[in-house]
């Protein structure tokens, strides 16, 4: 596996996506249980609602990417995630927190646009090695975010974790604006 500066944006978006995934999977559910007292039954119902919503909407994501493009879809994802993380940090409504959990899961599925973006900028011989690199990059936050987030939660309150997540989404949002530029750049380059 060899890093290529040609794919820096893909690497950066993948790293930030891994950070967001960890905050979503570890801390949003912990918030629902810890702050709002969701029972095992309530969490199970929430999972079923979440899966039903994703089952319905996930097949549409590819068509949405084809229609509006990766940059716009990622912009929607990161803007939504920003407000969802702020909502996690400040809401006192268990119902709203549960709705945000489902919306968070749904919009996280828009991250497929990062991979379709990579497919558009990658030379065929670079695809497999760089997808392997992406998996490695994506796992860096899996090791660090739970530990750092747990420390932040206990030291500064649960809001700090979600405000950190909002900061990650702002960085992702800014980087996503470069997606079209990188696609245009690839289309004018030849392998060399």
């Amino acid at each position: 596996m060899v890093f290529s500066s040609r794919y820096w944006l893909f690497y950066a978006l993948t790293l930030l996506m891994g950070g967001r995934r960890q905050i979503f999977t570890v801390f949003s559910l912990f918030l629902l249980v810890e702050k709002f007292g969701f029972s095992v039954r309530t969490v199970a119902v929430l999972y079923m609602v979440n899966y039903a919503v994703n089952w319905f909407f996930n097949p549409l994501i590819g068509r949405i990417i084809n229609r509006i493009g990766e940059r716009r879809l990622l912009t929607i994802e990161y803007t939504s995630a920003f407000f969802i993380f702020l909502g996690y940090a400040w809401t006192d409504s268990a119902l709203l927190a549960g709705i945000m959990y489902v919306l968070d899961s749904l919009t996280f599925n828009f991250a497929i646009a990062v991979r379709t973006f990579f497919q558009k900028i990658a030379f065929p011989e670079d695809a497999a090695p760089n997808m392997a690199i992406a998996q490695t990059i994506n796992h860096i936050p899996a090791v660090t975010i739970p530990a750092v987030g747990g420390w932040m939660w206990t030291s500064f309150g649960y809001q700090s974790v979600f405000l950190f997540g909002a900061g990650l989404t702002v960085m992702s949002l800014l980087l996503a604006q470069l997606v079209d530029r990188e696609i245009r750049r690839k289309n004018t380059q030849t392998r060399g």
Side-chain angles (χ1 to χ4, degrees):
M1 295 189 305
V2 178
F3 285 90
S4 172
S5 61
R6 179 186 309 267
Y7 306 124
W8 73 271
L9 183 58
F10 170 65
Y11 299 150
L13 289 172
T14 299
L15 180 68
L16 293 168
M17 179 176 54
R20 177 179 173 213
R21 176 183 298 274
Q22 289 306 308
I23 292 173
F24 169 69
T25 58
V26 176
F27 296 104
S28 60
L29 192 57
F30 188 62
L31 175 74
L32 296 178
V33 172
E34 181 74 15
K35 179 177 180 183
F36 296 108
F38 279 35
S39 66
V40 172
R41 174 182 283 173
T42 305
V43 170
V45 168
L46 185 62
Y47 273 161
M48 288 189 296
V49 169
N50 199 24
Y51 289 128
V53 168
N54 285 318
W55 176 80
F56 179 77
F57 281 105
N58 280 354
L60 303 175
I61 294 173
R63 286 184 243 158
I64 294 169
I65 291 171
N66 289 336
R67 186 170 184 164
I68 68 173
E70 287 84 0
R71 183 187 59 79
R72 286 185 181 153
L73 187 61
L74 290 172
T75 298
I76 292 168
E77 177 192 354
Y78 300 138
T79 302
S80 301
F82 175 77
F83 288 109
I84 289 167
F85 281 143
L86 290 183
Y88 284 144
W90 303 116
T91 190
D92 287 322
S93 167
L95 177 62
L96 183 59
I99 291 169
M100 286 186 303
Y101 183 82
V102 172
L103 290 174
D104 197 5
S105 176
L106 175 64
T107 59
F108 188 79
N109 292 323
F110 295 174
I112 190 75
V114 173
R115 289 185 278 288
T116 61
F117 156 67
F118 177 69
Q119 290 172 347
K120 289 181 179 179
I121 65 168
F123 290 102
E125 62 273 18
D126 292 343
N130 280 282
M131 289 307 287
I133 290 171
Q135 285 298 319
T136 302
I137 290 170
N138 196 282
H139 282 83
I140 293 169
V143 174
T144 58
I145 295 291
V148 171
W151 170 77
M152 290 173 68
W153 185 296
T154 57
S155 299
F156 306 108
Y158 71 92
Q159 294 95 343
S160 63
V161 176
F162 297 109
L163 294 176
F164 176 70
L168 291 178
T169 62
V170 168
M171 288 189 289
S172 298
L173 179 60
L174 293 173
L175 289 173
Q177 304 318 301
L178 303 174
V179 163
D180 289 344
R181 184 194 77 176
E182 292 297 308
I183 293 171
R184 284 191 304 271
R185 180 177 291 167
K186 166 32 168 87
N187 291 336
T188 61
Q189 293 177 340
T190 57
R191 184 72 177 165

